[in-house]
Amino acid sequence: MKKGFQLSSEVLERAVAIRRAIHQNPELGYQEHKTAALIAGRLREIGIEVIEGVGKTGVVGVIRGGLPGKVAAVRADIDALPLEEATGLPFSSRNPGVSHMCGHDMHTAMLLGLAEVLFGLRAKIRGTVKLIFQPAEECNPTGGAPAMIAGGALENPHVDAVFAQHLWPELETGAAAVRNGSMMAASDRFFITIHGRTAHGSAPEEGIDAILCAAQVISALQSIVSREVGPRDSAVVTVGTIQGGDRYNVIAGEVKLEGTVRTLRPEIQGPMASRIERIVSGVCAALGASYTYEYVKGYPATVNDPALFEIVYGAMKDVVGEKALVPELCALTAEDFAFFTEQRPCVYYWLGCRNPQTPFSKTPPLHNTAFSPQEEAMPFGMEIMLRSVLRFLGSEDCLG
């Protein structure tokens, strides 16, 4: 496959303009009506077959190649986050309290740019490309992927492989990373309510202190990873919220804890629910408290197919050279693209978007109100995806 960029400046300019339009008008999961209309309208302008309302607010485009072959799908997430933007960009969010602080606006725009290029090459393409614009990626624990799968996004025609990318500010613009096997973690949630008995703060012996009990539960939960998970396996148990108490001089009668569990392998994920409850039950029994407990499984682990890993890594080397990376460790963040990986061979990679002159320690991360990826990353993402899809379809000769 010929090295060098195949994207025209006109395609990139249109993609950047679309990115800014979506960025200014962010919508939360399953509310992406204007975003979906913009996507469908642009696909029709290009001349692409469009299916709307897939998985509620999802959109699917279909590019049928001129020659028979396999079916590749490319997925982009389209929803925003419930965050107030603080980037100061001239095209900042016009929707108070909602913003694209995870880069989904850029993911969508890159896929629309890719769609334009692929449509222009369709006569030479062996097979079909499906363009999956997915809602509600941020809506853990269900996400929007299961609804799109149930809505037929992977059928008619039957999809053989699915590709996806995500902006990654830890990497500088012009770099990309992909890993064989686990790329991101499974994400579960737990809810614990500790029931004690209120009393005056001056007479703690008359009550059962739910805050004291909660503190010991939080501390003891850390022993799960340090003593029950092998050092060569990755896992995280995090208590993210704690709510309890009514007044400074009253023994708290109730405390609520909410947290997340991140794991990479089903063998580690499976026993986590019972391990947490065992600790909660033991601490509460020791201190005379009672509890209620709920464990909710969320996104599974995102696992890359070995053959597709090789395809994407080869495309990365063509596009970014020595900045094509294979990380030793995956991230314990989670992605509902994982539901696609349970249905078909898939590959998911990270695209650098940080100014090379700025260290990551000074760069706002994902889900930060000041997150502002470089638009200069977009041609790298589109080019890597273009080459990956064509290589999978055996249509490398489409490129000049």
Side-chain angles (χ1 to χ4, degrees):
M1 186 180 292
K2 183 180 178 181
K3 293 181 183 291
F5 279 79
Q6 304 296 310
L7 303 170
S8 69
S9 59
E10 291 81 6
V11 169
L12 179 58
E13 288 172 5
R14 282 189 285 271
V16 169
I18 290 169
R19 181 259 166 157
R20 294 182 179 187
I22 295 173
H23 190 90
Q24 280 190 313
N25 299 280
E27 297 171 298
L28 298 176
Y30 292 130
Q31 300 175 30
E32 311 97 335
H33 302 290
K34 293 180 180 178
T35 305
L38 183 154
I39 292 165
R42 178 57 189 147
L43 292 175
R44 290 194 177 98
E45 284 178 4
I46 296 170
I48 295 172
E49 176 185 339
V50 178
I51 307 167
E52 297 182 79
V54 182
K56 297 184 181 178
T57 48
V59 178
V60 174
V62 183
I63 301 173
R64 302 182 190 275
L67 301 168
K70 296 180 289 188
V71 180
V74 185
R75 174 269 204 175
D77 34 19
I78 68 175
D79 58 321
L81 285 163
L83 294 173
E84 188 73 30
E85 182 170 353
T87 63
L89 292 170
F91 50 90
S92 290
S93 171
R94 295 173 177 171
N95 188 356
V98 182
S99 59
H100 274 291
M101 295 295 101
C102 199
H104 297 185
D105 54 334
M106 202 174 287
H107 300 166
T108 300
M110 286 190 288
L111 184 50
L112 287 171
L114 175 68
E116 183 177 352
V117 176
L118 287 169
F119 186 76
L121 298 172
R122 68 192 183 282
K124 299 180 181 179
I125 290 177
R126 297 174 179 84
T128 300
V129 181
K130 297 190 79 171
L131 314 164
I132 298 176
F133 295 88
Q134 181 214 297
E137 189 279 326
E138 301 290 356
C139 296
N140 193 306
T142 55
M148 289 214 78
I149 293 167
L154 298 180
E155 302 297 342
N156 301 315
H158 179 90
V159 170
D160 297 302
V162 189
F163 298 77
Q165 62 181 330
H166 201 295
L167 297 176
W168 205 249
E170 292 186 33
L171 302 176
E172 65 181 46
T173 296
V178 65
R179 191 171 184 268
N180 191 0
S182 296
M183 194 74 187
M184 301 182 89
S187 173
D188 299 338
R189 297 172 71 178
F190 59 86
F191 305 84
I192 302 165
T193 301
I194 296 172
H195 305 283
R197 184 173 66 243
T198 59
H200 196 281
S202 64
E205 74 281 3
E206 296 178 4
I208 297 173
D209 193 340
I211 287 180
L212 173 64
C213 189
Q216 295 199 29
V217 166
I218 292 170
S219 179
L221 287 177
Q222 303 313 305
S223 68
I224 294 175
V225 173
S226 66
R227 290 296 177 267
E228 298 188 51
V229 176
R232 286 174 293 196
D233 286 308
S234 296
V236 170
V237 177
T238 294
V239 176
T241 69
I242 176 168
Q243 299 175 332
D246 298 306
R247 187 172 167 78
Y248 77 98
N249 63 346
V250 176
I251 298 296
E254 181 178 279
V255 173
K256 294 182 179 181
L257 308 175
E258 182 177 349
T260 184
V261 174
R262 304 299 173 101
T263 52
L264 294 177
R265 298 194 293 123
E267 310 91 272
I268 305 300
Q269 181 188 28
M272 281 296 187
S274 61
R275 285 169 171 169
I276 290 173
E277 185 168 21
R278 185 192 69 229
I279 286 174
V280 175
S281 174
V283 171
C284 287
L287 298 178
S290 60
Y291 70 94
T292 55
Y293 173 69
E294 181 183 11
Y295 190 96
V296 179
K297 283 194 173 182
Y299 300 169
T302 301
V303 182
N304 286 339
D305 176 78
L308 296 181
F309 158 78
E310 294 291 347
I311 288 174
V312 168
Y313 186 52
M316 284 180 178
K317 288 190 288 186
D318 285 346
V319 177
V320 303
E322 63 182 13
K323 292 184 179 179
L325 308 174
V326 180
E328 181 180 350
L329 301 175
C330 66
L332 291 182
T333 47
E335 238 282 2
D336 80 338
F337 183 71
F339 291 108
F340 287 105
T341 72
E342 294 186 324
Q343 301 295 320
R344 298 289 192 277
C346 292
V347 64
Y348 181 95
Y349 65 88
W350 297 330
L351 180 68
C353 61
R354 170 175 54 82
N355 187 329
Q357 307 304 316
T358 305
F360 177 61
S361 60
K362 296 184 179 180
T363 300
L366 298 169
H367 289 221
N368 183 287
T369 59
F371 174 64
S372 183
Q374 282 198 305
E375 291 177 336
E376 289 82 354
M378 294 176 66
F380 293 102
M382 287 188 282
E383 189 74 26
I384 291 169
M385 191 64 78
L386 173 65
R387 290 169 177 271
S388 298
V389 169
L390 292 179
R391 185 167 291 173
F392 172 76
L393 295 175
S395 300
E396 298 98 321
D397 55 349
C398 287
L399 298 179

